[in-house]
Amino acid sequence: MQSAQAADKPAPGGEPLQERRHPHGAALVPSGTVILAATPIGNTADASARLVALLEHVDIVAAEDTRRLYDLANRLGVHVNGKVIAYHDHNERNKADGLLDEVAQGASVLVVSDAGMPTINDPGLAIVRCAIERGIPVTCAPGPSAVLDALALSGLPTDRFCYEGFLPRRHAERMQRLRALRAEQRTIVFYETLHRIADSMDDLLAAFGPGRPMALCRELTKDYEEIRRGGVERIRQSVIDDPPRGELVLVIGGADDETAALETPDALGVDELAALSLKRSQSQGERIKDSIAQIVAEHPLPDGSLANRKEIYAAVLVLRDGAC
């Protein structure tokens, strides 16, 4: 049991937290505090006792989708007694200060997303930043995380990893992001949607090659949870043969030392790329424009973007005319 002294410990903002004990002793509800709480990502049984107590006893619940909040509460057998407001991507900046004004007056504000932890590809960052600026306490009620679940189940190294959120929607932007990550030696975690997974797997194959190890994780914690493991080419073929359903997390193995060294050479300048393009054109009997396209694709810039082909073409013309 927590002592009275421990219950009156200083909050991050400097003032002691005044706490209301849950009737059954399951959790403490801090007054004058923003609380970020993780909600189940699929299996309702993963909801913590602390989340249940908070839903029942906080003054305000800021929910990404109020309908989903009430559905979760019904499944948990909890009555939400506090005021419920919609707090999502489109209004979080405008709502943050108003909510913090309530917190400054002593209210407890619970921030929840549809699934998982707020701020991780979900609303919540705006209110955290504003609270920090205003010296208002913020705390977490941790819980389920699709990122960590997928990482743990992938079988890939977990000692160092990076989370990249959703892959870009457009092919060119997606390829730029992936090219920039080819030399990344940490395990990489992405989210992806069902309607883009086939195109994204094509781009993963182009960027990382067929043998880079990965895992495709779907419907985590649900009855139909599935983890597909193997090289990129194998997983891509499985997506073609048996298109996955549900929510997807992709985990990609990091580059080995040799690959990382090969993928991080010094960036070539326009004149160097032009010289390579001209040499290729002459040796392969290709059109200059085709050679430039190949050389540019083989030598991305450090940020994954590609050099300007028009600038290289102009430089090629200078080299060729000079040689004549």
Side-chain angles (χ1 to χ4, degrees), residues 21-272:
R21 186 174 294 278
H22 182 264
H24 300 100
L28 295 171
V29 180
S31 299
T33 303
V34 176
I35 310 149
L36 307 176
T39 54
I41 60 175
N43 191 326
T44 304
D46 291 336
S48 67
R50 188 176 176 191
L51 173 64
V52 171
L54 290 167
L55 287 172
E56 188 172 1
H57 291 281
V58 293
D59 299 305
I60 302 171
V61 181
E64 183 178 9
D65 186 322
T66 58
R67 291 172 298 181
R68 292 195 181 189
L69 168 70
Y70 284 121
D71 177 64
L72 174 63
N74 287 335
R75 285 184 278 125
L76 293 173
V78 177
H79 180 72
V80 180
N81 293 295
K83 179 171 66 175
V84 174
I85 68 163
Y87 185 75
H88 45 71
D89 289 333
H90 303 296
N91 72 2
E92 65 168 325
R93 290 180 181 273
N94 295 329
K95 291 281 182 96
D97 277 326
L99 286 169
L100 292 176
D101 288 342
E102 301 259 18
V103 176
Q105 296 300 315
S108 53
V109 172
L110 178 67
V111 180
V112 294
S113 61
D114 292 343
M117 177 61 73
T119 77
I120 309 300
N121 264 102
D122 282 325
L125 182 59
I127 196 168
V128 171
R129 284 180 169 173
C130 291
I132 292 170
E133 289 175 0
R134 294 175 59 170
I136 291 175
V138 184
T139 190
C140 276
S145 165
V147 172
L148 296 180
D149 282 7
L151 183 67
L153 294 171
S154 69
L156 296 169
T158 60
D159 53 336
R160 297 174 66 234
F161 71 94
C162 59
Y163 170 59
E164 288 288 321
F166 280 96
L167 283 167
R169 291 183 172 87
R170 298 179 184 276
H171 165 72
E173 296 169 359
R174 191 163 55 238
M175 282 303 301
Q176 178 177 341
R177 173 83 67 84
L178 294 175
R179 284 193 299 264
L181 290 167
R182 284 198 296 213
E184 175 59 67
Q185 293 190 278
R186 295 172 294 177
T187 301
I188 310 165
V189 185
F190 295 106
Y191 283 161
E192 192 48 288
T193 62
L194 287 177
H195 67 278
R196 290 200 301 267
I197 185 59
D199 291 339
S200 290
M201 288 306 308
D202 289 344
D203 292 346
L204 283 168
L205 179 61
F208 294 114
R212 183 73 72 95
M214 70 168 292
L216 183 153
C217 309
R218 73 176 191 91
E219 297 289 78
L220 289 170
T221 77
K222 299 179 183 177
D223 291 341
Y224 297 101
E225 175 179 287
E226 178 188 18
I227 315 297
R228 303 181 186 184
R229 304 177 183 89
V232 169
E233 187 171 39
R234 178 180 176 183
I235 301 301
R236 173 182 173 273
Q237 190 61 48
S238 81
V239 168
I240 295 171
D241 297 338
D242 182 17
R245 299 179 182 179
E247 298 178 353
L248 304 175
V249 186
L250 308 179
V251 187
I252 315 295
D256 57 28
D257 291 341
E258 181 180 357
T259 301
L262 289 173
E263 293 293 345
T264 53
D266 293 334
L268 299 181
V270 170
D271 290 339
E272 293 169 305

Side-chain angles (χ1 to χ4, degrees), residues 253-288:
D256 57 28
D257 291 341
E258 181 180 357
T259 301
L262 289 173
E263 293 293 345
T264 53
D266 293 334
L268 299 181
V270 170
D271 290 339
E272 293 169 305
L273 293 171
L276 288 175
S277 300
L278 182 58
K279 182 178 179 180
R280 181 188 179 98
S281 174
Q282 293 171 341
S283 64
Q284 301 292 329
E286 294 179 342
R287 296 170 58 224
I288 287 291

